[in-house]
Amino acid sequence: MSLQSLTKDLTGFFNQKQYQKCLDIIPKVKLELLKQGLLGNIDENKINVKDLEVTRSILEIGSLSVINLSKDGEFKNYIDQLRPFYQLKDLSPSDNQNKLMALYLLLLLSQGDLATFHIELETFQSDGLTIDELEKDKFLYFPIKVEKWLIDGDYNKLFEILNQDPEKYPCQEFNLFKSSLVDAVRFEIYKNLVKAYQKLPLDNFKNLLFLRTNDDYDSFIALFQDELNLSIKNGFVHLNDVSQLDFTEEPTDDALLIRNVLSYAREMETII
Amino acid sequence: MSSTTEETIPTNEDIELRFQLIQKSVSHFDPRFTLKVFRELGPLRRRLDVNSLLQVVEKNYPQDENRQYLKDILVKLGAHSSQEGDHMEVDSGSVNTVLPEIDIFIHVLILIYLHDHKEIKLANKFVPFTISALKSYNRRTLDYISSRAWFYIARIKELAGELTSIRPDLLLALRTSTLRHDIGTRASTITLLLRNYILSNDINQASNLVEKTEFPEDASNALVARYYYYLARIHAVQLAYSTAHNYAVTSIRKAPQSELATGFLQTATKLNILVELLMGEIPSLDTFRDPKLEKSLLPYLAVTRAVRLGDLNLFNKALAEYGDTFKDEKNYNLVLKLRQNVIKTGIRIISLAYTRISLKDICIKLHLDSELSAEYIVAKSIRDGVIEATIDHEKGYMQSKEVLDVYSTREPQSVFDERIKFCMQLHNESVKAMRYPLSANRIDNKNAPDNKDSEEELLAYSLSVFDDEL
């Protein structure tokens, strides 16, 4: 099959949201692209801009397909493949660029990889964009706000935005991260509660964790069964702080002092 | 070489004098003389002119040498050949080959000239010639000169806006210098690459480079200071603030104390201030009072004030006023991240002032949106260790724990221990860094005047280690 007809099939399936079928075709398309020197080591001077734009849109379809099928690892690969295309100044800007980057940032957040998250934000500075300018972008504002509130501990705003009407999301793909983000946030809150409260009425406990229904509560307890450490008595949740009970064996003051002084003495000896 | 003679002798002879030093360095396998040449480059740099450069080129290269381009570029700059009728002619015939060190040194001089006179386009054309000249030699006595050459090459490419195109050459130079144990070039190419990556905001590449390479231990102090500064930057972006702080402090300590390094010191101090603030510490006021830094640190002082008072409105005002400065200095994103620290400091101050305070009051004091927000934020601060407190949810207040007397804990002991260890380490490092004269004087004690000479040389050198040009 020729590249044209393959691409046509691909966009057809993609528009019908048949992502699995897209994935079946993509390897063939990529092979054709490789044969034409449009993938891998690209020689900018030899290839015309239109061809590169087509390659870019094929990769974008691929990345959107894998993310819709929740294949996180493959999605990262696609982002890495797309990156050089976004850096080429000759191509017309792609509508999908910020959307894909926003998705990538959300993925990093849901995996708790904050260091990479911030590294990615820095790269936008090459285009002269600082974080508060990125916040005005209709896709990128979402992950940035989420991260900010996560760090601030402003969780009710976070839940407001996560639980808003799915239609209001800048794009449908953001929904994919909703449940993993919500779980991550709830566990964060729980860890805060453990440190801040000794006991809490059960209802308030549920409220603070945004566990609106009993099903939510049960699934939360089931999900973090191993890590939770709480007991419920008379309608009160007792949060037993493990870290306070866990006394590790430390050398006593005297022993520590002696050891330090001995090491100073050794050093002094070498000086004299 | 006293300063008076430097002013009276013609520039070309001044250059020749340095050639003699380089030759001496090559024949003795002692880098000290080359170091001296570069250390005293300042005055010469200011009075370099094309005519004397051309004279030097004509005198030192044999006629059929394939360095014609050196002459071409100087002639393009408007130099007049003075070969006819000059006493130089006699000399030029007698030169058969040129010492590699001197060859590269002339390249460096031309690069410096082009750089200082803003001839970036010409300089950019000259760079490939220099790179191929550098590649053609493999001599250890060349190390220091070539590390300087790479510095100017990278700087010129940066000014020409061609950050990406120079990377392969720098990487190649790094590989070659690593294989040849060429410490100077290795250290300088690593820092240049890091600078290159950070300038194009490619933090990922930079942190990969740091992971994959080992920075030579005995590189010159100026380079070490740079390297640590870049490390601090990378870690600050990755949110590893305490590591970043350590690196920033090392970088400031290692920075040369001379006038020329003021710019570097300012930049490093700015970064350090931000990192300290991000860690929740308030930098001491005398940092801002240093006369060398005072003026440039004003925007940072404003931010520090806002954070110290925990006043979000003041913070936004500082941001509006100095936003452009922060953007120019590429610190804007870091400053933005400080916003959350403003709230945390606010909470800390409240917790110190009140033993018990209602969440509603906290919410009003910190300009937060709702009581619920306040509750979450306080809980988060407790977990982050910003304050020692508990929350009573039913009655809606925050109860601070009694402040412990620090002197009843092990804290002072451990801080003291840290300081002693630091002093010990400093002593050990100084011992290691000391240089001893070559064993020549032990063998030949009778040669007294020569001895005295080398002693003076050594003294000058050891002084220079501290204010090596950046």
Side-chain angles (χ1 to χ4, degrees):
Chain A
M1 270 208 277
S2 73
L3 191 54
Q4 272 83 7
S5 64
L6 278 170
T7 325
K8 213 176 138 199
D9 284 353
L10 183 64
T11 36
F13 284 131
F14 181 70
N15 289 335
Q16 293 165 20
K17 300 197 173 174
Q18 298 187 330
Y19 300 118
Q20 191 55 51
K21 283 195 177 152
C22 288
L23 283 196
D24 295 341
I25 304 181
I26 276 184
K28 289 182 208 155
V29 185
K30 276 192 181 168
L31 197 63
E32 288 297 320
L33 289 174
L34 270 174
K35 278 182 197 160
Q36 309 217 4
L38 286 164
L39 211 62
N41 274 332
I42 299 166
D43 187 351
E44 272 179 64
N45 305 320
K46 276 189 197 159
I47 284 160
N48 81 41
V49 175
K50 281 273 167 280
D51 283 348
L52 284 179
E53 282 176 7
V54 171
T55 316
R56 186 182 63 187
S57 64
I58 290 172
L59 286 176
E60 281 171 350
I61 289 180
S63 56
L64 285 172
S65 306
V66 287
I67 198 64
N68 271 302
L69 296 168
S70 300
K71 296 187 177 176
D72 298 345
E74 281 183 44
F75 180 67
K76 278 188 181 172
N77 287 343
Y78 270 105
I79 291 290
D80 284 338
Q81 282 175 9
L82 275 167
R83 221 179 282 262
F85 286 93
Y86 290 142
Q87 278 165 3
L88 293 177
K89 298 284 175 236
D90 301 340
L91 305 192
S92 61
S94 157
D95 300 335
N96 284 325
Q97 178 177 357
N98 284 350
K99 180 172 158 181
L100 284 171
M101 285 316 289
L103 284 171
Y104 179 54
L105 290 175
L106 274 183
L107 177 68
L108 291 176
L109 274 186
S110 67
Q111 292 174 347
D113 191 352
L114 287 179
T116 322
F117 180 88
H118 282 279
I119 287 177
E120 289 300 330
L121 284 186
E122 285 297 299
T123 55
F124 283 101
Q125 275 193 348
S126 311
D127 306 324
L129 294 171
T130 52
I131 291 178
D132 54 352
E133 280 155 358
L134 293 176
E135 271 180 41
K136 291 171 195 146
D137 185 90
K138 71 170 178 163
F139 294 116
L140 289 171
Y141 87 93
F142 193 80
I144 292 174
K145 282 257 153 83
V146 168
E147 192 264 353
K148 204 160 119 190
W149 288 330
L150 202 62
I151 297 271
D152 274 0
D154 210 344
Y155 299 113
N156 60 330
K157 282 201 189 136
L158 198 57
F159 265 86
E160 248 166 58
I161 198 171
L162 285 177
N163 280 326
Q164 68 185 354
D165 191 5
E167 298 296 315
K168 280 192 194 153
Y169 281 131
C171 67
Q172 287 314 301
E173 280 80 7
F174 282 9
N175 274 317
L176 300 164
F177 295 104
K178 191 178 145 185
S179 67
S180 60
L181 275 175
V182 166
D183 285 335
V185 171
R186 278 192 183 133
F187 193 58
E188 277 296 304
I189 299 177
Y190 167 75
K191 282 196 275 187
N192 290 346
L193 295 182
V194 168
K195 290 275 178 189
Y197 301 86
Q198 277 137 6
K199 59 176 188 175
L200 256 179
L202 184 58
D203 286 343
N204 296 35
F205 179 73
K206 283 184 188 167
N207 259 340
L208 285 172
L209 287 172
F210 301 95
L211 300 164
R212 304 262 187 257
T213 61
N214 276 336
D215 287 349
D216 276 352
Y217 178 74
D218 292 338
S219 65
F220 173 73
I221 296 289
L223 189 61
F224 295 105
Q225 207 170 17
D226 304 334
E227 282 138 290
L228 296 184
N229 180 20
L230 41 88
S231 54
I232 300 164
K233 279 177 211 152
N234 306 332
F236 276 92
V237 181
H238 291 264
L239 301 152
N240 300 327
D241 193 354
V242 191
S243 59
Q244 277 185 6
L245 301 172
D246 188 25
F247 285 111
T248 42
E249 274 298 312
E250 278 183 27
T252 59
D253 276 1
D254 293 344
L256 192 74
L257 205 62
I258 292 170
R259 201 164 52 194
N260 283 344
V261 171
L262 274 177
S263 76
Y264 307 149
R266 205 175 304 128
E267 293 277 348
M268 299 293 272
E269 192 76 9
T270 58
I271 294 173
I272 300 161
Chain B
M1 237 184 294
S2 74
S3 60
T4 43
T5 51
E6 269 176 33
E7 273 155 31
T8 47
I9 59 165
T11 315
N12 57 329
E13 282 176 33
D14 193 7
I15 300 175
E16 295 286 336
L17 276 175
R18 306 192 183 221
F19 287 170
Q20 286 169 16
L21 279 174
I22 292 177
Q23 261 163 355
K24 202 171 165 191
S25 178
V26 173
S27 53
H28 286 72
F29 286 105
D30 186 349
R32 267 190 290 145
F33 301 109
T34 313
L35 287 171
K36 188 177 155 76
V37 169
F38 278 99
R39 198 168 64 240
E40 287 166 359
L41 201 60
L44 174 64
R45 186 173 173 172
R46 277 188 280 283
R47 53 202 206 106
L48 272 181
D49 64 277
V50 270
N51 286 327
S52 40
L53 276 171
L54 188 63
Q55 274 177 22
V56 170
V57 169
E58 280 172 351
K59 186 181 169 193
N60 283 283
Y61 288 97
Q63 295 289 327
D64 53 339
E65 175 74 24
N66 49 4
R67 290 282 187 256
Q68 186 60 35
Y69 62 86
L70 290 175
K71 280 188 206 171
D72 290 347
I73 199 158
L74 290 169
V75 170
K76 236 187 238 173
L77 284 166
H80 303 290
S81 174
S82 55
Q83 210 163 19
E84 281 89 9
D86 211 345
H87 66 283
M88 300 287 171
E89 210 186 341
V90 191
D91 292 335
S92 65
S94 63
V95 180
N96 290 325
T97 49
V98 60
L99 258 183
E101 288 76 12
I102 289 178
D103 181 21
I104 298 296
F105 185 60
I106 289 177
H107 280 84
V108 172
L109 285 180
I110 295 177
L111 279 174
I112 291 178
Y113 179 83
L114 292 167
H115 173 262
D116 288 355
H117 289 78
K118 309 268 180 294
E119 297 278 359
I120 302 304
K121 264 191 193 157
L122 266 180
N124 205 3
K125 280 192 197 129
F126 184 63
V127 162
F129 293 118
T130 318
I131 293 178
S132 64
L134 279 168
K135 279 183 188 159
S136 63
Y137 298 123
N138 176 15
R139 279 162 73 115
R140 293 292 58 75
T141 40
L142 199 64
D143 290 353
Y144 197 76
I145 308 179
S146 55
S147 88
R148 273 318 177 86
W150 280 112
F151 174 80
Y152 286 105
I153 289 173
R155 177 71 189 145
I156 283 164
K157 279 286 179 185
E158 188 186 314
L159 289 173
E162 295 182 13
L163 283 173
T164 5
S165 67
I166 191 66
R167 280 182 196 169
D169 284 318
L170 281 174
L171 284 168
L172 199 66
L174 172 61
R175 201 180 66 190
T176 329
S177 57
T178 312
L179 289 175
R180 288 175 185 167
H181 296 286
D182 171 356
I183 290 166
T185 315
R186 199 168 127 209
S188 79
T189 41
I190 290 178
T191 49
L192 290 170
L193 274 167
L194 284 179
R195 178 181 172 81
N196 188 315
Y197 288 140
I198 289 174
L199 275 179
S200 54
N201 299 306
D202 217 336
I203 309 291
N204 218 356
Q205 288 270 35
S207 83
N208 283 346
L209 181 75
V210 171
E211 270 171 34
K212 299 275 151 51
T213 51
E214 197 184 324
F215 193 77
E217 269 178 19
D218 27 9
S220 88
N221 252 355
L223 286 172
V224 177
R226 273 161 179 281
Y227 181 68
Y228 278 115
Y229 169 72
Y230 294 132
L231 281 186
R233 261 227 106 85
I234 294 168
H235 282 93
V237 171
Q238 291 175 329
L239 309 185
Y241 297 129
S242 54
T243 343
H245 181 235
N246 281 343
Y247 287 136
V249 169
T250 323
S251 152
I252 291 171
R253 282 199 187 125
K254 292 243 179 195
Q257 300 299 316
S258 69
E259 286 287 310
L260 289 153
T262 313
F264 175 81
L265 213 56
Q266 285 174 350
T267 324
T269 317
K270 284 170 193 169
L271 180 67
N272 191 33
I273 290 171
L274 287 182
V275 171
E276 273 186 22
L277 286 175
L278 282 166
M279 291 199 318
E281 283 172 22
I282 305 293
S284 71
L285 207 54
D286 15 317
T287 331
F288 299 99
R289 294 234 172 99
D290 189 326
K292 271 196 282 183
L293 310 171
E294 201 175 2
K295 214 173 151 206
S296 68
L297 292 181
L298 268 181
Y300 297 85
L301 183 60
V303 173
T304 311
R305 282 218 178 98
V307 175
R308 197 166 64 91
L309 296 174
D311 188 334
L312 209 52
N313 293 337
L314 205 62
F315 181 78
N316 287 336
K317 226 175 84 191
L319 202 60
E321 192 175 338
Y322 297 111
D324 291 332
T325 324
F326 293 137
K327 271 179 207 169
D328 285 347
E329 288 162 4
K330 294 216 164 201
N331 284 330
Y332 193 66
N333 281 351
L334 285 177
V335 176
L336 280 184
K337 281 179 209 159
L338 269 178
R339 198 189 302 250
Q340 79 216 27
N341 280 49
V342 178
I343 299 178
K344 274 187 194 159
T345 325
I347 291 180
R348 183 147 74 181
I349 291 168
I350 290 174
S351 149
L352 288 176
Y354 300 85
T355 36
R356 185 183 287 187
I357 182 170
S358 77
L359 291 170
K360 199 173 165 194
D361 286 339
I362 294 179
C363 172
I364 294 165
K365 276 182 198 296
L366 296 178
H367 316 287
L368 298 173
D369 304 334
S370 67
E371 235 173 286
L372 197 60
S373 284
E375 185 164 355
Y376 282 120
I377 292 172
V378 171
K380 171 92 178 164
S381 311
I382 293 173
R383 179 174 152 220
D384 291 349
V386 179
I387 49 172
E388 294 274 327
T390 52
I391 302 174
D392 193 316
H393 184 83
E394 293 165 291
K395 291 172 191 147
Y397 61 76
M398 172 181 98
Q399 166 104 42
S400 307
K401 282 182 188 157
E402 290 298 313
V403 190
L404 278 169
D405 178 16
V406 238
Y407 285 97
S408 68
T409 64
R410 206 181 286 160
E411 190 65 18
Q413 157 74 21
S414 71
V415 172
F416 191 49
D417 179 49
E418 211 171 276
R419 286 187 192 170
I420 294 177
K421 285 208 173 111
F422 176 77
C423 290
M424 299 285 193
Q425 199 194 343
L426 192 67
H427 173 265
N428 286 343
E429 274 172 15
S430 322
V431 171
K432 272 186 211 155
M434 276 204 274
R435 290 264 293 233
Y436 302 95
L438 295 175
S439 53
N441 53 352
R442 218 185 305 154
I443 306 162
D444 194 356
N445 255 333
K446 288 164 220 162
N447 210 342
D450 219 349
N451 245 347
K452 206 178 159 196
D453 206 38
S454 73
E455 257 170 37
E456 267 170 19
E457 205 84 68
L458 189 73
L459 189 69
Y461 169 75
S462 52
L463 281 173
S464 79
V465 171
F466 291 102
D467 49 32
D468 195 353
E469 209 184 305
L470 196 78

